[in-house]
Amino acid sequence: MFNNGESRLLDFEKIFTQWSVKENDFEYPLLDEKEFKKVKLRNYTLSWANIKIKVKAKNGESLIMPYEIGADVLFELSEEIKEPSKYRYGKLIKSARLKAGLTQEQLAIKSGTTRFYISRIENDKT
């Protein structure tokens, strides 16, 4: 679910196939589910600290950064869910939140939204 309220499907297996990910590519370790699951949300961006990439700063200095995919790219890679009634995420999200011992407010802070919005999601209103 994106912050515009739209539920969209991200199929990383399909995405990595489309990208023709090979052994020497940054994304290659993410084909391993164990490595993929190390993802964290950082500033609305999926970030894998376990995957390091080298980038050049404006001043020409080389920096080592985590591999990241921003929300804009994720939105472009996602597919519209044609049958939203088949995708009821509210119960799944609530179950995962409770299992993690989080309140709606805590989840809202971690995900960059509001408790009200989390409540709407959990009740399949959004």
Side-chain angles (χ1 to χ4, degrees):
M1 177 167 291
F2 287 84
N3 65 357
N4 65 357
E6 222 177 300
S7 293
R8 298 180 64 90
L9 184 65
L10 274 164
D11 182 343
F12 279 96
E13 217 171 287
K14 185 177 175 182
I15 291 165
F16 291 156
T17 299
Q18 287 173 345
W19 287 355
S20 302
V21 172
K22 304 278 188 272
E23 199 169 332
N24 59 340
D25 293 328
F26 295 122
E27 298 86 0
Y28 185 77
L30 299 177
L31 295 173
D32 177 353
E33 187 176 344
K34 203 176 196 179
E35 293 300 310
F36 186 89
K37 285 184 173 183
K38 294 179 181 176
V39 66
K40 301 284 183 212
L41 185 63
R42 189 171 81 104
N43 297 324
Y44 306 104
T45 299
L46 295 184
S47 181
W48 287 270
N50 53 315
I51 311 295
K52 303 291 184 194
I53 62 171
K54 193 177 191 177
V55 296
K56 282 207 184 238
K58 288 181 182 177
N59 64 5
E61 181 184 346
S62 288
L63 303 171
I64 303 296
M65 304 288 291
Y67 180 75
E68 297 183 327
I69 305 176
D72 55 338
V73 174
L74 291 170
F75 188 84
E76 287 177 28
L77 296 171
S78 67
E79 298 174 7
E80 183 180 354
I81 295 175
K82 305 245 188 270
E83 299 177 44
S85 62
K86 289 176 76 175
Y87 298 94
R88 296 288 182 200
Y89 299 111
K91 287 182 183 176
L92 292 170
I93 291 171
K94 183 175 184 177
S95 174
R97 175 181 63 78
L98 293 172
K99 186 177 177 182
L102 296 173
T103 65
Q104 286 182 339
E105 183 69 27
Q106 290 167 324
L107 179 58
I109 291 167
K110 285 182 173 286
S111 59
T113 188
T114 65
R115 189 212 52 80
F116 176 74
Y117 191 64
I118 296 297
S119 175
R120 290 191 51 79
I121 292 169
E122 288 185 354
N123 290 295
D124 291 320
K125 302 288 184 199
T126 297

